[in-house]
């Protein structure tokens, strides 16, 4: 038997949870390209309140994500996922039934309160073995990018054909489908596995927040999503004013996403294989700044807007791929899950600030001020990130230890002495060793052989 081949249970867990996560993300992203155009017909709507409706989702996510991740250790993963999806569906129904912008704001806040990402990743960790967990989590990451692209295309099509209310009803149905999949397709976990690679460790926030490299990266994901949300406040009405009807916007997003996804792969290979992460990272920030300047100067020139949008999403998609990798490389051994939790909180705070700030600026002085401010945010981000060091090109592993290995006081030093091992943390109460390795010099199999030899 090939021990690295996924079992039926692992495949069901990966596909099932990946689909649940994608359905929820689809519901979140489909609103972005249409709310600033179709939402203006709501009672009491203004550009500032539309921005608040976009951003309040992120604020609720930022508030509830880490606590819900910790609560899932007590109440169980599936109950929390189902409960979160029910809250998300309730928020969608409220948004679908209202004719007021304040009803949509309430609905969006409830949608964000159903924060299930940490519980999904924890359940995936419970249901997959160490040697297959990276593959399973990579599938979740890929599904995130694909879902974003699909949502950008489907949102305008559905809203133009059926209306904004129908879009929210559809989002509610997607959440209910996620509940059905969670209960009927996703396997039940026999036990909760405390895996510091995917879960949050209590009392570890100070250690992670005190890491200057991680702080700069968290500021980066904050800026990236602030730019995304503020752009989506200004971009759809800007294209309408330039002569492109809202019903045609999906064509722009489709072409843009296809080109950017095709172009992303060489940059990721160059960053990872050639070990040029910082160069690609700084280049992407520069391109984002350029995109904001192009959009600021575009006025009513439609093709200039298209160029700005293409530049933006090319850099955005590369950043979405390499930022989590940078967090993984910089996180201390045994604290990757906590680092990713704080990173996600920074991401959703960026959503909150970007949506709200973008709406206020758009109402104050139009799209030009939104993009000019975006260029300023990009410049500050570039200056902060210029002090980043080249990251260590390492991967994180969790090794399961036998009772005998746990009692071996020299195990940690023995692992550290292996070629390619840069950091080791042994946690006896979890019967685990968390190791950072250079995969060009060693791998999981070699280290497991060393442990098994005990």
């Amino acid at each position: 038997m090939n021990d690295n081949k996924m079992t039926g249970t692992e495949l069901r867990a990966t596909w099932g949870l990946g689909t649940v996560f994608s359905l929820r993300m689809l519901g979140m992203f489909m609103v972005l390209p249409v709310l600033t155009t179709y939402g203006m017909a709501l009672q009491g709507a203004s550009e500032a309140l539309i921005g608040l409706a976009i951003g309040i989702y992120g604020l609720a996510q930022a508030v509830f994500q880490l606590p819900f991740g910790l609560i899932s250790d007590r109440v169980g993963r599936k109950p929390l996922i189902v409960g979160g999806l029910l809250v998300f569906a309730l928020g969608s129904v409220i948004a679908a039934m209202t004719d007021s912008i304040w009803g949509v704001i309430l609905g969006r806040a409830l949608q964000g309160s159903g924060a299930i990402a940490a519980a999904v990743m924890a359940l995936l960790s419970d249901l997959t073995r160490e040697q297959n967990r990276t593959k399973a989590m990579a599938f979740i990451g890929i599904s995130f990018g694909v879902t974003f692209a699909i949502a950008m295309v489907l949102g305008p099509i559905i809203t133009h054909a059926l209306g904004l209310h129908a879009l929210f009803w559809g989002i509610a149905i997607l959440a209910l489908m996620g509940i059905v999949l969670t209960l009927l397709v996703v396997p039940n976990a026999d036990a909760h596995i405390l895996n510091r690679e995917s879960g949050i460790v209590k009392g570890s926030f100070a250690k992670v927040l005190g890491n200057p490299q991680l702080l700069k990266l968290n500021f980066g994901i904050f800026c990236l999503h602030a730019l995304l949300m503020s752009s989506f406040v200004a971009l759809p009405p800007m294209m309408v004013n330039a002569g492109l009807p809202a019903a045609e916007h999906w064509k722009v997003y489709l072409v843009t996403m296809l080109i950017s996804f095709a172009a992303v792969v060489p940059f990721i290979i160059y960053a990872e294989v050639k070990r040029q992460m910082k160069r690609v990272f700084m280049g992407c920030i520069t391109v984002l700044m350029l995109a904001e300047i192009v959009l600021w100067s575009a006025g009513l020139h439609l093709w200039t807007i298209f160029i700005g949008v293409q530049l933006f999403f090319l850099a955005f998609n590369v950043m979405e791929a390499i930022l989590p990798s940078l967090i993984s490389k910089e996180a201390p051994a045994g604290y990757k899950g906590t680092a990713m939790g704080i990173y996600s909180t920074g991401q959703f705070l960026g959503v909150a600030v970007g949506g709200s700030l973008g709406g206020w600026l758009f109402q104050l002085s139009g799209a030009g001020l939104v993009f000019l401010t975006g260029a300023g945010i990009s410049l500050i981000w570039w200056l902060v990130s210029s002090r980043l060091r080249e990251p260590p090109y390492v991967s994180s592993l969790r090794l399961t230890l036998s009772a005998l290995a746990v009692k071996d006081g020299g195990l940690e030093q023995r692992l550290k002495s292996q070629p390619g091992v840069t950091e080791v943390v042994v946690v006896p109460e979890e019967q685990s060793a968390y190791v950072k390795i250079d995969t060009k010099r060693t791998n999981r199999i070699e280290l497991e052989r060393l442990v098994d030899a005990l």
Side-chain angles (χ1 to χ4, degrees):
M1 178 182 174
N2 182 1
D3 198 45
N4 290 314
K5 184 178 180 180
M6 281 194 166
T7 64
T9 297
E10 288 175 325
L11 285 171
R12 281 175 58 205
T14 302
W15 283 98
L17 288 171
T19 305
V20 169
F21 195 71
S22 295
L23 289 173
R24 186 175 168 282
M25 290 296 104
L26 190 65
M28 180 185 87
F29 288 133
M30 281 197 298
V31 176
L32 288 184
V34 299
L35 200 54
T36 49
T37 48
Y38 295 90
M40 288 301 291
L42 294 166
Q43 292 177 12
S46 66
E47 289 87 352
L49 291 179
I50 291 288
L52 179 60
I54 290 174
I56 200 167
Y57 178 96
L59 180 61
Q61 279 277 319
V63 169
F64 290 107
Q65 177 168 252
L66 290 177
F68 280 11
L70 294 171
I71 291 171
S72 74
D73 293 335
R74 294 187 178 184
V75 303
R77 318 294 194 205
K78 276 195 173 185
L80 194 137
I81 293 171
V82 170
L85 288 170
L86 282 172
V87 172
F88 184 87
L90 176 62
S92 304
V93 169
I94 289 174
M97 295 180 67
T98 184
D99 290 320
S100 165
I101 184 60
W102 290 105
V104 171
I105 290 171
L106 174 61
R108 291 279 293 167
L110 282 172
Q111 282 183 327
S113 300
I116 63 169
V120 167
M121 300 308 284
L123 182 55
L124 188 65
S125 181
D126 292 343
L127 293 169
T128 52
R129 293 169 296 161
E130 295 294 336
Q131 60 267 40
N132 291 324
R133 191 163 297 130
T134 300
K135 289 184 284 187
M137 291 186 175
F139 175 80
I140 299 286
I142 292 170
S143 68
F144 182 90
V146 173
T147 300
F148 179 77
I150 293 172
M152 291 297 98
V153 176
L154 280 183
I157 292 174
I158 293 172
T159 309
H160 175 68
L162 303 173
L164 189 61
H165 295 300
L167 180 67
F168 280 115
W169 279 116
I171 291 169
I173 292 171
L174 290 176
L176 296 177
M177 288 170 60
I179 292 173
V180 172
L181 284 171
T182 302
L183 295 175
L184 300 182
V185 175
V186 177
N188 294 313
D190 295 329
H192 295 331
I193 299 171
L194 179 53
N195 184 351
R196 292 165 174 245
E197 293 303 294
S198 57
I200 299 164
V201 182
K202 294 178 183 177
S204 64
F205 294 110
K207 182 178 179 66
V208 174
L209 288 171
N211 185 310
Q213 295 295 109
L214 291 176
L215 277 178
K216 293 184 183 76
L217 294 173
N218 290 330
F219 180 70
I221 193 61
F222 170 88
C223 290
L224 183 65
H225 280 261
L227 292 173
L228 176 69
M229 294 301 153
S230 62
S231 296
F232 268 111
V233 171
L235 189 58
M238 185 181 182
M239 288 196 291
V240 169
N241 291 337
L244 185 69
E248 303 295 312
H249 288 189
W250 67 272
K251 297 176 183 178
V252 178
Y253 301 130
L254 177 61
V255 173
T256 298
M257 290 299 168
L258 289 176
I259 293 173
S260 61
F261 275 139
V264 157
V265 177
F267 287 105
I268 294 174
I269 292 173
Y270 179 70
E272 290 281 3
V273 178
K274 301 298 183 181
R275 301 196 165 186
Q276 296 291 334
M277 295 285 280
K278 184 178 178 181
R279 179 175 292 182
V280 173
F281 185 82
M282 297 301 297
C284 285
I285 301 175
T286 304
V287 173
L288 285 168
M289 192 189 315
L290 177 61
E292 296 290 321
I293 293 171
V294 169
L295 290 168
W296 166 67
S297 63
L300 299 178
H301 297 93
L302 203 53
W303 280 101
T304 307
I305 295 173
F306 293 163
I307 292 170
V309 172
Q310 186 65 72
L311 287 171
F312 183 91
F313 280 108
L314 174 61
F316 177 86
N317 286 327
V318 174
M319 277 296 201
E320 280 287 289
I322 67 173
L323 264 168
S325 177
L326 284 167
I327 291 286
S328 177
K329 287 173 170 54
E330 293 287 359
Y335 295 95
K336 178 183 170 184
T338 305
M340 288 303 299
I342 294 172
Y343 166 86
S344 295
T345 300
Q347 172 183 335
F348 288 118
L349 285 174
V351 170
V353 171
S356 303
L357 178 63
W360 178 71
L361 292 173
F362 190 85
Q363 183 168 310
L364 187 67
S365 190
L369 184 58
V370 175
F371 293 119
L372 187 61
T373 303
I377 291 171
S378 301
L379 177 60
I380 294 170
W381 182 11
W382 194 96
L383 292 172
V384 170
S385 299
S386 66
R387 300 179 65 85
L388 275 169
R389 69 184 181 195
E390 191 71 37
Y393 289 90
V394 293
S395 298
S396 300
L397 297 179
R398 175 181 178 269
L399 303 175
T400 303
L401 305 179
S402 66
L404 184 60
V406 169
K407 295 177 182 178
D408 185 346
L411 175 63
E412 184 171 329
Q413 194 57 44
R414 210 170 308 160
L415 285 169
K416 282 182 180 177
S417 66
Q418 298 304 301
V421 175
T422 62
E423 193 177 353
V424 178
V425 173
V426 175
V427 187
E429 59 271 24
E430 298 174 22
Q431 290 194 291
S432 303
Y434 296 91
V435 187
K436 307 275 281 194
I437 65 168
D438 182 343
T439 54
K440 289 189 175 181
R441 301 182 63 196
T442 189
N443 56 51
R444 172 185 292 279
I445 294 174
E446 291 181 8
L447 297 179
E448 284 181 339
R449 283 175 182 163
L450 174 67
V451 173
D452 290 342
L454 297 174

